[in-house]
Amino acid sequence: MEPLIRLINIEKYYEAGYGKTFVLRRITLDIKEGEFVTIMGPSGAGKSTLLSILGMLDGAWTGEFYFVEQPVHRLNNKQRVELNKKYIGFVFQSYHLIDNLTVYENLDIPLSYRNIKSSERAGMVGDILDRFHIVGKKDLYPNQLSGGQQQLVAVARAVIANPRLILADEPTGNLHSTQGKEIMELFKRLNDEGTTIIQVTHSETNAKYGHRIIDLADGWLVNPQKTA
Amino acid sequence: MSDVRLAVRGLLRSPGFTVVAVLAIALGIGANTAVFTIVDSVLLRPLPFPEPERLYALAVVRDDPFRGINDTVMPDFLYVYFRKQDRLFEKLTAYNSHRINMTGAGDARSVSGAFATADFFSVLGANAALGRTFAPDEDQPGHDGVVVIGDNLWRSAFGADPAAIGKSVRLDGESHTIIGVMPIGFAFPAPLDVWVPQGVHPSGHNSQLLSVMGRIKPGVSQNQATAELDTIIKQIPGELDVRHRPPARVVSLLESVSGKVQRSLLVFLGAVAFVLLIACTNVANLLLARSAGRRQEIAVRAALGASRWRLIRHLLTESTLVSLAGGAAGLILAVWGVPALVKLAPAEMLPRAEQIGIDGWVLAFTFAIALVTGLGFGIIPALQATRSELRESLSLGGRSLTGRHERLRGALVVAEIALSLVLLTGAGLMLKSFIRLRSVDTGFRAEHLITMTVELPDSTYQTASQVQAFHGRTLEKLSHLPGVMASAEVNWLPFGSGLMMGDFRLEGGRKFPPGLMVDKPIVSPGYFRTMGIRLLRGRDFTANDNGDALLVAVVSDSAAKRIWPGADPIGKRFTEEEENPKPKDWVTVVGVVQDVKQMGMADKPRETVYQTSAQINRPGWLNHAAFVVRTATDPEGLATAMRGVVRDIDRNQPVQSIATMQTLIDASTAEPRFQTRLLGAFSLLALLLAAVGTYGVLAYSVAQRTHEIGIRMALGAERRDVLRLVLRRTLMLAGAGVLIGAAGALAITRVLQKFLFEVKPDDPATFVAVAALLAGVALAAGWIPAWRATRVDPVEALRYE
Ligand SMILES: Nc1ncnc2c1ncn2[C@@H]1O[C@H](COP(=O)(O)OP(=O)(O)O)[C@@H](O)[C@H]1O
Ligand SMILES: [Mg+2]
């Protein structure tokens, strides 16, 4: 079976005065469906950049990128957004909930972009509220929640449209360890249910939840083979 | 003081904001000051006469804004009757204005003048600067060979020489001795050249409308005077049926001078108030954005112990400085704009135009609105800025700060759109009304017609045949000018300055409709053909219809229907002789022509009875004449040749005016055109401000929401979703604004009712068109920020929080 993700010689650089500053160098790797992969590396190594590319948010790179057997490098922006919508959910370090929307409304956002009938949408939001035990919070605004609760909502929002891949950029970076543990348990469970997960973390403890670790340094892959 | 210094420094630190805010306020205040200057000079300043509150104008005519006759006037016989019976007025006078031919002081010239009874100046309490005004008996025949001249004429014709007193000039051929020169600025009823004494002697069937004013006795009220006038005119013996008498009105002289323009000016004042409100809303929005950027500064000040009141005072000082600067700039705009406005306005529309100028009241007004404006647009942002500081520190939760700001700013945009919708609807209604007015069928073909008015003095042209001879020679010569297709003569031209009206006695005991006054123009044969007035039945006048032949008349369609309802008018007879008409006094109707507009486009169909000049033997009915010429090409080019025709016949005879028919028609709609233009200009200004405001709010909102947009993109939003996000907000703001504005317009445009011709103030087509226009403009204003939103790079947007 083909891997879910295949990167061949992915490079990313910024124009810097004269010459280029490379952020990613010759990244070549496969990630199979159902894997739980951890990306580690010092700050500035290019981890977030790599996640952005995998999540179709960043289109300015070179190399070959196959995602669900589609050659992403040959797709236009609209087609890439389609892939994002269909297969991918995002979780961020700083939650990135929308301040002016309630928990319920925040959860509804991904569905609103996915051609789902509003009656169905209400059901799906209801389900996810149940699943994450946050029904009581549905009418609150993000700034009325603790950090852990906010991240819980963010994870719920990432999975609401049943993505096959979750990309999580330092999801526990802003949380206490107990809250962080809760989120990691959640990822574990999702992964057990078949969702592929790629997380970025600085924590060895969190890394242990995954199957293998990809180390990045200065844009280079350090040890493609290392397992957790 | 330190508040002011701090505020100045703060403003200088953000010159972009300061310039835009001051400019918006300057536009708003400038427009207000300009219109207020005119209101102040025209409506508010008392007339420059002693005890002006005792001066009243008296009127007994219907008040109809679209007819020429909407002045405070009454028929001459009513004046004479009332003057005899009246007990409440100290003095009364009647007058009317005319062009007069003046010779004997340099070249022959046509001057502006008033014929007035002897009490004219003493009613006003006005004295001559040089010499004297009329003595009490100087309006009597034999004593009336005097004249008072205006300062302008004194300077232009007599080189401001005091020896002008005692000199003689010929006015319409009659010799008059100059007895006085009025001071500079004396301008009643207008800045005229001459005032000539003339008594009132009503005669028979043909009455003249006169302006009448009086100085009321001390302690008598306006209501008492009105009641007296009403009672007395109802007692007047005669045919006139009481029910057909128009109501009596006694209005203050100031109002009679400015009454016509009062409503227009108040509407303009309302319009510019809206513009100012919109400008304020814009600036309030700018201030909100600014205060959001200054949260840090405010928080620090609060932490250092500044009370909320202190913070508010600081912010208000700033906004007041902005508005005072805007007020100063606005005053400059007004100084520059008022003369332009006065120039744009049709001459008759702005009475006392020569007195329009900025005075202490205007300065006070400008200062006051600048102050109020500054507090007005500053208070909400100031409260908001300081409140948010408190709430933030208490961290009460709920929708975030930016959210509340955003809604407040949205509300301000809604207000702006609503306000400009009201203004635009008003302008739209006026425009539609104006177009309707202009497309009215006049009953004749105005293109390729040129008219020349000549008033023959009755001292030189004493008999009807002398007048007829002059007219005949003129017509003959005119017809030989190159390019002339047809020419004719009429005593009072449609869209000219006046006309003769009256009634008749009908043959066979048939009763003339009570209260009806028909127009009585006198025309030469070929008049209908030259004007392009269709002959509906019977025949036109011919050269055979002369003094020896049977008297004939052609009547207008509506006259035929009104005077001989259900009967064939052809062959019907009437006479103007009251007692025992002789057989030759009877006039036979020989033709029926289409109705024409006589006094204005909005004129109702007028009952008109035409007679032909060759059969008229009273010179007074003929000596005012207009020659109409139909040309093959551009009629303008014929003017010089036409003047030459008159000069060739009589060297001393000036031509009163030459104008194409189209010019006369345009002049008759000059007032609605001016109103439409001005209201249009104000509403475009409002639209511009609203568009800028909408753009500003959306651009700011997109900038504020970059992060949110990035999140949405990460969650699957496509470009068009983002575009929709911003445009939907635009549409919601515009929609709310349009709805609220339409409700407001429905309530407010009613004040325009009097100005609207065949358009209802709630005309649905106008409302829909204006709403669509405004929504379109709002969408256009939202488009740029929306497009910019689609260009947000989610990676960038999410990197920084
Ligand atoms: N717009 C940009 N221009 C130039 N360099 C950038 C830009 N954005 C990110 N970088 C650089 O790219 C590198 C990788 O960033 P990132 O992927 O966020 O690192 P990580 O997530 O591993 O900390 C950093 O050195 C950062 O400074
Ligand atoms: Mg990172």
Side-chain angles (χ1 to χ4, degrees), chain A residues 8-51:
Chain A
I8 304 170
N9 277 333
I10 294 293
E11 302 221 313
K12 162 108 190 154
Y13 58 83
Y14 290 101
E15 304 286 351
Y18 46 94
K20 306 162 175 178
T21 317
F22 278 88
V23 180
L24 293 176
R25 295 306 301 258
R26 294 190 215 154
I27 305 291
T28 298
L29 66 85
D30 286 356
I31 293 171
K32 289 195 276 293
E33 178 109 48
E35 271 198 284
F36 189 155
V37 178
T38 305
I39 300 176
M40 299 187 83
S43 180
K47 308 178 295 289
S48 295
T49 307
L50 183 56
L51 278 199

Side-chain angles (χ1 to χ4, degrees), chain A residues 42-49 93 169-170 200 202, chain B residues 799:
Chain A
S43 180
K47 308 178 295 289
S48 295
T49 307
Q93 173 175 6
D169 195 348
E170 300 187 44
V200 170
H202 292 291
Chain B
R799 191 187 309 277

Side-chain angles (χ1 to χ4, degrees), chain A residues 14 52 57-58 77-78 81-82 84-85 90 92 96-101 109-110 113-114 141 143-144 157, chain B residues 396-400 402-403 707-708 711-721 793-795 798-799 801:
Chain A
Y14 290 101
S52 296
L57 296 185
D58 187 341
N77 181 60
K78 202 170 152 60
V81 174
E82 279 309 314
N84 162 303
K85 282 206 263 194
F90 259 106
F92 304 94
H96 287 334
L97 297 177
I98 295 176
D99 290 344
N100 293 314
L101 302 183
I109 297 172
Y113 297 129
R114 278 171 176 77
Y141 288 94
N143 62 1
Q144 292 168 303
R157 188 178 64 179
Chain B
L396 287 178
R399 277 182 202 259
S400 74
T402 38
H707 179 240
E708 175 189 337
I711 298 172
R712 287 178 182 273
M713 285 178 149
L715 297 177
E718 288 178 42
R719 292 239 159 100
R720 65 187 157 95
D721 295 315
D793 176 359
V795 179
L798 294 176
R799 191 187 309 277
E801 169 52 320

Side-chain angles (χ1 to χ4, degrees), chain B residues 93-109:
Chain B
T93 179
Y95 58 96
N96 57 13
S97 308
H98 279 302
R99 302 293 306 179
I100 300 173
N101 298 335
M102 185 175 95
T103 50
D107 293 336
R109 63 166 100 191

Side-chain angles (χ1 to χ4, degrees), chain A:
Chain A
M1 199 185 80
E2 287 291 315
L4 181 68
I5 291 166
R6 164 158 290 172
L7 301 181
I8 304 170
N9 277 333
I10 294 293
E11 302 221 313
K12 162 108 190 154
Y13 58 83
Y14 290 101
E15 304 286 351
Y18 46 94
K20 306 162 175 178
T21 317
F22 278 88
V23 180
L24 293 176
R25 295 306 301 258
R26 294 190 215 154
I27 305 291
T28 298
L29 66 85
D30 286 356
I31 293 171
K32 289 195 276 293
E33 178 109 48
E35 271 198 284
F36 189 155
V37 178
T38 305
I39 300 176
M40 299 187 83
S43 180
K47 308 178 295 289
S48 295
T49 307
L50 183 56
L51 278 199
S52 296
I53 292 171
L54 291 173
M56 315 286 165
L57 296 185
D58 187 341
W61 40 267
T62 59
E64 290 171 54
F65 170 15
Y66 297 90
F67 182 67
V68 289
E69 299 174 30
Q70 306 250 21
V72 178
H73 47 283
R74 285 200 214 110
L75 302 183
N76 64 24
N77 181 60
K78 202 170 152 60
Q79 292 165 317
R80 289 178 189 183
V81 174
E82 279 309 314
L83 287 179
N84 162 303
K85 282 206 263 194
K86 208 158 166 193
Y87 300 110
I88 298 170
F90 259 106
V91 179
F92 304 94
Q93 173 175 6
S94 44
Y95 331 132
H96 287 334
L97 297 177
I98 295 176
D99 290 344
N100 293 314
L101 302 183
T102 61
V103 166
Y104 186 100
E105 290 161 342
N106 265 288
L107 291 175
D108 189 48
I109 297 172
L111 303 181
S112 71
Y113 297 129
R114 278 171 176 77
N115 234 337
I116 301 168
K117 273 190 249 119
S118 61
S119 55
E120 256 175 80
R121 268 157 63 176
M124 290 169 82
V125 176
D127 283 350
I128 210 84
L129 286 167
D130 268 347
R131 227 170 105 200
F132 284 72
H133 309 293
I134 47 178
V135 179
K137 311 257 184 294
K138 74 180 166 67
D139 292 323
L140 296 182
Y141 288 94
N143 62 1
Q144 292 168 303
L145 300 176
S146 73
Q149 288 167 333
Q150 289 190 49
Q151 193 62 302
L152 200 61
V153 174
V155 175
R157 188 178 64 179
V159 303
I160 191 165
N162 297 315
R164 273 159 77 176
L165 171 65
I166 287 178
L167 300 170
D169 195 348
E170 300 187 44
T172 62
N174 288 353
L175 302 179
H176 304 305
S177 52
T178 40
Q179 290 172 329
K181 186 158 181 282
E182 207 177 314
I183 296 294
M184 290 318 297
E185 295 288 350
L186 194 54
F187 281 139
K188 181 90 184 61
R189 224 167 32 245
L190 288 167
N191 181 245
D192 290 343
E193 289 162 15
T195 312
T196 308
I197 292 175
I198 304 176
Q199 68 162 343
V200 170
T201 184
H202 292 291
S203 143
E204 293 291 340
T205 326
N206 288 352
K208 293 208 167 66
Y209 286 90
H211 304 139
R212 64 172 165 133
I213 294 172
I214 297 170
D215 268 325
L216 271 184
D218 272 340
W220 294 88
L221 276 184
V222 179
N223 56 343
Q225 303 318 323
K226 182 177 163 186
T227 49

